[in-house]
Amino acid sequence: MSRAEEMRVREAQETDASALSVFMIAQQQERCTPEYLRHWYFQGPVKGGAVMMGERNGRILGMATMTAHRFERMEASALVAMPQKVLTDASARGQGIFGKLYRASERACLDHGADFFLTVTNAASTPIFLGKFGYRRVDPPRMAVLLPLPGRPVSRVLVRAEVERSDPLRNGIWRMHKDAAYHQWRFIDHPLREYICLACELNGRPLGSIFLKRIRKKGVPVMLLLDMVPTAMELAPELLRAARKAAWQQRCLALLVLDQEDNRAAIAANGPAVHRSSNFNLLVKGEDEVHTAALASQHFELAFGDLDFF
């Protein structure tokens, strides 16, 4: 019997957050405080994800996590599990723990009702997901780079996601379903307090909400538009202008936006913009090879805020 087979694998509960935090911080995951883990993995508005942990003699050797989100495409709706972190303690690598924990998290999500899997992988894990776990590549989202706009947005800080939006475009594109509860959980109540959440207006008329994050790319300050929630689709250009002003106010050199059909007209109205690939490794997996191949031929649109690492 191998050491990996001796390892006990179980689904973590919210009460395991403190122990998981100690393990994750030891693996250079400094942001993974107990509060963050409880919020991100156990308190989201959509249930169906999984946190699997591997233990030997009471010691955590590894973990694999997935969150669950509702996606929509025309009249279809699917519960989509999104693999995130798979971590193995340095002392236990090379024992097959990575694969064992990942497969356990996949089985748990299927038991919870997942219809398929969607993930963005880094360079090291992409060959594993393609070669060992049966994923297929999907066309990655494109990105628009916009200049900041001088001025300050007419806005107030959101304390709850009360701004309603018009229905998004309905077509053959998969999009994450996001309502007020999602935005409250994802950005406003997030325990790390690293997001800028603004309700914007123009001449007294509500434009909608923007969710932003200031980061550095190669030492240069840039602003990410994590999500944009116009009260009506025709107001999206003005709402994007408010995001450009917020980037200026935060002394960023650019505003980065993932190019989606919902905001394409707004990007064009705010030109000039540089369009380029996001270089994300976007991968999908269905219930079998036929389903996976069908999903790989379909189109998925994401915002920066749909990805856990932002």
Side-chain angles (χ1 to χ4, degrees):
M1 181 179 293
S2 73
R3 290 176 64 84
E5 291 172 331
E6 294 169 4
M7 181 182 65
R8 177 193 177 209
V9 177
R10 66 178 178 90
E11 188 166 0
Q13 305 300 316
E14 191 168 347
T15 52
D16 294 307
S18 293
L20 286 169
S21 174
V22 171
F23 169 77
M24 296 181 78
I25 290 173
Q27 314 306 315
Q28 289 75 54
Q29 304 291 314
E30 290 81 5
R31 62 186 273 141
C32 294
T33 64
E35 184 184 19
Y36 166 81
L37 296 177
R38 284 190 289 267
H39 174 85
W40 186 253
Y41 291 112
F42 300 104
Q43 297 173 0
V46 179
K47 307 304 178 184
V51 179
M52 307 303 297
M53 50 195 297
E55 300 171 304
R56 185 187 298 136
N57 299 324
R59 178 189 171 205
I60 300 176
L61 296 181
M63 64 182 297
T65 67
M66 295 191 188
T67 54
H69 301 275
R70 182 65 57 181
F71 275 67
E72 297 172 333
R73 175 178 179 261
M74 299 180 70
E75 301 305 317
S77 177
L79 183 65
V80 180
M82 300 184 72
Q84 297 180 333
K85 297 188 183 298
V86 183
L87 301 174
T88 303
D89 187 79
S91 65
R93 289 171 189 162
Q95 300 177 22
I97 290 175
F98 182 105
K100 186 171 185 177
L101 287 172
Y102 168 77
R103 291 186 176 92
S105 67
E106 190 176 279
R107 287 193 299 271
C109 287
L110 290 171
D111 290 343
H112 297 164
D115 295 295
F116 61 88
F117 302 87
L118 183 72
T119 190
V120 174
T121 53
N122 59 31
S125 61
T126 298
I128 299 172
F129 276 75
L130 292 173
K132 294 182 64 174
F133 298 153
Y135 280 74
R136 296 277 294 270
R137 289 187 183 273
V138 183
D139 288 339
R142 291 187 61 77
M143 181 172 67
V145 183
L146 295 163
L147 292 174
L149 187 64
R152 289 175 174 265
V154 178
S155 63
R156 58 180 175 81
V157 176
L158 271 170
V159 293
R160 65 184 191 277
E162 73 271 14
V163 177
E164 297 180 0
R165 68 173 295 168
S166 60
D167 288 336
L169 301 176
R170 296 291 178 183
N171 51 24
I173 296 172
W174 284 106
R175 295 180 179 85
M176 186 184 292
H177 173 77
K178 292 174 280 192
D179 55 14
Y182 168 87
H183 288 102
Q184 187 75 34
W185 165 77
R186 177 65 179 90
F187 303 114
I188 299 171
D189 292 341
H190 198 285
L192 298 184
R193 308 297 180 207
E194 58 188 5
Y195 303 125
I196 301 168
C197 308
L198 302 176
C200 304
E201 64 177 58
L202 179 67
N203 299 327
R205 181 182 184 185
L207 294 175
S209 306
I210 51 176
F211 302 92
L212 306 149
K213 183 177 180 180
R214 188 180 191 271
I215 66 169
R216 286 186 173 270
K217 291 182 68 68
K218 298 181 179 179
V220 175
V222 299
M223 186 73 83
L224 297 181
L225 181 61
L226 299 172
D227 218 333
M228 183 172 73
V229 189
T231 56
M233 293 306 297
E234 64 268 19
L235 297 176
E238 289 295 340
L239 189 57
L240 185 55
R241 287 188 185 95
R244 293 174 63 200
K245 289 181 179 180
W248 176 274
Q249 185 180 3
Q250 293 292 321
R251 299 180 180 179
C252 294
L253 297 186
L255 175 71
L256 309 186
V257 185
L258 284 189
D259 188 352
Q260 306 173 75
E261 186 167 335
D262 283 358
N263 62 25
R264 200 155 293 146
I267 293 172
N270 276 267
V274 175
H275 295 266
R276 45 160 294 187
S277 171
S278 64
N279 294 320
F280 290 149
N281 296 304
L282 184 61
L283 311 180
V284 70
K285 180 180 180 179
E287 59 188 14
D288 53 34
E289 291 185 4
V290 173
H291 188 208
T292 300
L295 288 168
S297 68
Q298 296 168 14
H299 189 61
F300 293 80
E301 287 199 338
L302 299 171
F304 278 118
D306 300 349
L307 308 173
D308 71 299
F309 45 89
F310 293 123

